C-alpha cells in the first residue's frame, strides 16, 4: 500500500476515479493479496470502476466486490466484438456517456 498516494488522494478536493483491476479478485475478501490500490483505499472521494461486457454484465476478468466496486464501464470482452464495432478488446470507458451501473 502506497501511503503517500493515499494521502494525496485524501487531500484532493475532487473525485478520484480508478480501475478495480482485471484479475477477477473479490475486493471484499479479507485476503490482502486480492486488494488493489488505490481502489481499495477507504476514502470517500474514490470511485472504483469494474469492467462490463457487451451485455452490461460484469466481465469475467473484472475484479468485483459489492461494497468495494462502485460502477462498471464497458471494457474489453475477451475476444467478443463489442457494440458491433468489429474490433477486439476495445476500451470504451473514455467515450462520453459510456459509464453506467452494473445490471443486477
Amino acid at each position: 500500500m502506497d501511503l503517500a498516494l493515499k494521502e494525496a488522494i485524501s487531500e484532493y478536493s475532487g473525485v478520484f476515479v480508478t480501475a478495480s483491476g482485471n484479475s477477477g479478485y473479490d475486493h471484499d475478501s479479507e485476503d490482502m493479496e486480492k486488494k488493489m490500490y488505490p481502489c481499495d483505499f477507504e476514502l470517500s472521494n474514490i470511485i472504483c470502476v469494474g469492467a462490463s461486457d457487451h451485455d452490461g454484465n460484469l466481465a469475467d476478468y473484472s475484479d468485483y466486490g459489492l461494497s468495494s466496486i462502485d460502477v462498471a464501464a464497458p471494457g474489453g470482452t475477451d475476444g467478443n466484438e463489442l457494440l458491433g464495432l468489429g474490433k477486439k478488446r476495445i476500451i470504451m470507458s473514455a467515450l462520453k456517456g459510456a459509464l453506467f451501473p452494473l445490471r443486477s
Side-chain angles (χ1 to χ4, degrees), residues 19-95:
S20 66
N22 295 329
S23 300
Y25 290 158
D26 179 358
H27 287 243
D28 291 344
S29 166
E30 296 298 320
D31 185 351
M32 293 306 290
E33 295 293 319
K34 297 191 176 186
K35 300 292 182 184
M36 202 284 293
Y37 299 95
C39 184
D40 285 318
F41 288 142
E42 293 184 18
L43 298 173
S44 62
N45 65 331
I46 291 179
I47 294 177
C48 185
V49 182
S52 63
D53 64 17
H54 63 283
D55 292 321
N57 300 308
L58 187 68
D60 60 358
Y61 59 84
S62 181
D63 287 6
Y64 61 95
L66 187 59
S67 66
S68 305
I69 310 303
D70 300 300
V71 68
T77 57
D78 290 337
N80 294 322
E81 291 184 4
L82 184 62
L83 301 178
L85 296 177
K87 296 183 180 179
K88 307 290 185 185
R89 306 268 315 163
I90 300 170
I91 304 301
M92 296 190 58
S93 57
L95 296 177

Side-chain angles (χ1 to χ4, degrees), residues 3-19:
L3 295 178
L5 177 60
K6 182 177 183 179
E7 182 178 352
I9 295 170
S10 72
E11 293 175 359
Y12 179 59
S13 63
V15 175
F16 188 88
V17 180
T18 184

